[in-house]
Amino acid sequence: MTPATPAEQALDEALALVSRAPEGAGAGVGHRAAPWPRARDTAARAGGAAGARARTRQVPLAEGLGEVLAEPLDALTDLPSFDTSAMDGWAVAGPGPWSVRAGEGVLAGSDGPAPLADGEAVRIATGARIPADTTAVVRSEHCRESGSQLFADRPVLTGQDIRPRGQECRSGDLLLPAGSLVTPAVLGLAAAAGYDGLTTRPRPRVEILVLGDELLTEGLPKDGLIRDALSPMLGPWLTRLGAEVIGTRRLGDDPAGAEALFQAVTTSAADVVVTTGGTASGPVDHVHPVLLRAGAELLVDGVAVRPGHPMLLARIGQPGEGRHLVGLPGNPLAAVSGLLTLAEPLLRALAGRRPRHRYTAAVQGDVPGHPHDTRLVPVLLSGEQAQPLRYNGPAMLRGVAAADALAVVPPHGARSGQELEILDLPWASGGCFT
């Protein structure tokens, strides 16, 4: 790990000394915070319950990329649907040498080549239909012509370099189960199997609401105002997580902003509303009062994780209906923590995607911990090791911008060499195709 500066060491020491608010303080924020693993499980279950009634649609192949199969992909035909040549060369019948058939040979796409007589050879292209009574295909580089005769330079085995009908699948075979992500390879497979379109579960729709009066959209920070770092980041990030972002709006901290937030929460066309800031208990933090007014059910109200502990997850409407709200803290790295903790498992479940594969890596160097809470620390991955990065404070993006992943540091920290769970960042792990 890169040596920390004295200021960073002081920050880590202060972090390690911070404990949760005592029970009853701050409206009980401390003791109601969910453990980090339970918060992620809650988000996944919420998405799964809503996804049980998810809509489906028929789309042309070109529009299915990044969505999830709502039905199994069954083979509509044998693949290949006829015996084909696996190589450029010669189709031969019987033992050699062979008499060369006159003409240009058998090309891919040609229909019904004439059968071969015993001792005959005909030139053939890769992908072309095999003539009846063919024994094998001899590659061009493994034979030679002499006059009207063809000679093989090595032994010829029956069936060599022939792709027999049904080698990949038979009609009716299951190619992919429902719930499979539609990748470019899946599109190719579906086309090869005869599909013109797919039945998919579309991406969950997300609307982003950035809260705060202190945010600038251009220029340098000045006069107590800061640049809005979340609007440029959240849309692309959520898209990589598999969402369809239908809009990003900025709302103020005044009563008009609170009313606009209420209207968005109760009338949005999105499956998920993502807010930033306003999740704590400050004088202009409107998210909790708005959710109470909307009759929302708080599924997660604070998470025992640093950064990002004020994050929340709420459901508006009955289970399996309505929409969800993910409340992210306003600090940028804390918002990233909320994305990985609540938004990602919720969106994956809503889309019908499988949970992300879990894995660990050995951390390089000791990592300070919190006495009670999980920490999420940006890391660079090298081989099977994770190198923690500096600049990992709640308001900092410098560390995560250079990172491949976040390491899950348990309470009290981790020693050098300890295996930690790794959360890939969507651009490092491939994410969702767009």
Side-chain angles (χ1 to χ4, degrees):
M1 180 177 178
T2 306
T5 65
E8 289 163 344
Q9 289 176 340
L11 176 64
D12 283 333
E13 290 170 1
L15 178 65
L17 292 173
V18 174
S19 60
R20 298 177 190 162
E23 193 165 324
V29 171
H31 74 273
R32 73 171 175 243
W36 182 80
R38 192 170 74 200
R40 282 175 58 84
D41 290 344
T42 299
R45 287 197 304 272
R53 301 184 184 181
R55 64 195 189 281
T56 63
R57 64 175 185 166
Q58 291 279 341
V59 294
L61 287 183
E63 297 178 18
L65 188 64
E67 297 189 353
V68 168
L69 293 178
E71 297 177 353
L73 191 73
D74 295 327
L76 302 179
T77 182
D78 296 344
L79 285 182
S81 55
F82 47 82
D83 294 349
T84 62
S85 177
M87 293 288 171
D88 292 333
W90 297 84
V92 301
W98 304 272
S99 298
V100 174
R101 179 190 288 178
E104 64 180 12
V106 185
L107 302 178
S110 60
D111 184 38
L116 286 179
D118 189 43
E120 190 178 25
V122 65
R123 189 176 293 277
I124 194 167
T126 300
R129 190 168 189 157
I130 295 291
D133 301 321
T134 296
T135 302
V137 170
V138 182
R139 302 183 188 189
S140 297
E141 61 269 27
H142 295 165
C143 59
R144 54 188 170 82
E145 289 183 79
S146 179
S148 62
Q149 296 287 297
L150 180 74
F151 297 86
D153 294 336
R154 59 187 65 189
V156 175
L157 304 177
T158 299
Q160 74 178 30
D161 288 326
I162 294 176
R163 293 185 63 217
R165 175 175 180 164
Q167 181 185 53
E168 186 169 2
C169 65
R170 290 291 185 181
S171 180
D173 283 355
L174 175 65
L175 300 178
L176 289 170
S180 299
L181 180 66
V182 179
T183 66
V186 171
L187 293 179
L189 175 63
Y195 285 84
D196 299 317
L198 298 170
T199 303
T200 64
R201 289 175 59 168
R203 298 164 179 262
R205 295 163 298 191
V206 173
E207 183 175 14
I208 301 168
L209 304 176
V210 179
L211 313 181
D213 290 330
E214 75 280 13
L215 303 176
L216 294 170
T217 58
E218 60 184 14
L220 295 174
K222 60 182 179 180
D223 302 328
L225 303 178
I226 61 173
R227 278 296 298 269
D228 174 13
L230 295 176
S231 294
M233 177 176 75
L234 291 181
W237 198 306
L238 289 162
T239 298
R240 294 287 293 194
L241 292 181
E244 176 192 352
V245 178
I246 63 173
T248 300
R249 288 191 282 159
R250 296 176 63 231
L251 304 179
D253 289 328
D254 56 2
E259 181 62 27
L261 177 60
F262 174 77
Q263 293 299 323
V265 165
T266 54
T267 65
S268 176
D271 302 300
V272 179
V273 174
V274 174
T275 64
T276 69
T279 56
S281 303
V284 293
D285 289 334
H286 299 307
V287 174
H288 280 94
V290 163
L291 291 174
L292 180 64
R293 180 183 169 195
E297 179 184 0
L298 279 171
L299 305 178
V300 175
D301 191 10
V303 179
V305 67
R306 305 299 171 116
H309 61 93
M311 70 180 73
L312 61 83
L313 171 64
R315 179 170 55 223
I316 300 98
Q318 297 300 312
E321 301 175 352
R323 66 189 61 84
H324 289 85
L325 181 140
V326 176
L328 304 177
N331 278 324
L333 188 57
V336 169
S337 175
L339 287 172
L340 296 174
T341 301
L342 298 178
E344 180 175 3
L346 176 70
L347 290 170
R348 292 185 76 92
L350 283 172
R353 298 176 64 189
R354 303 181 186 92
R356 189 177 292 279
H357 173 69
R358 297 179 63 176
Y359 73 99
T360 63
V363 67
Q364 292 180 342
D366 295 345
V367 186
H370 186 275
H372 306 290
D373 297 348
T374 300
R375 284 189 71 199
L376 300 183
V377 177
V379 294
L380 279 176
L381 301 178
S382 177
E384 297 181 355
Q385 293 189 314
Q387 178 187 356
L389 297 173
R390 293 161 53 183
Y391 308 108
N392 52 33
M396 298 179 180
L397 287 175
R398 184 172 174 181
V400 74
D404 300 313
L406 269 67
V408 182
V409 180
H412 307 295
R415 307 296 296 176
S416 183
Q418 184 174 334
E419 293 283 328
L420 299 179
E421 182 178 352
I422 299 298
L423 305 176
D424 286 327
L425 297 176
W427 52 87
S429 60
C432 182
F433 295 99
T434 58

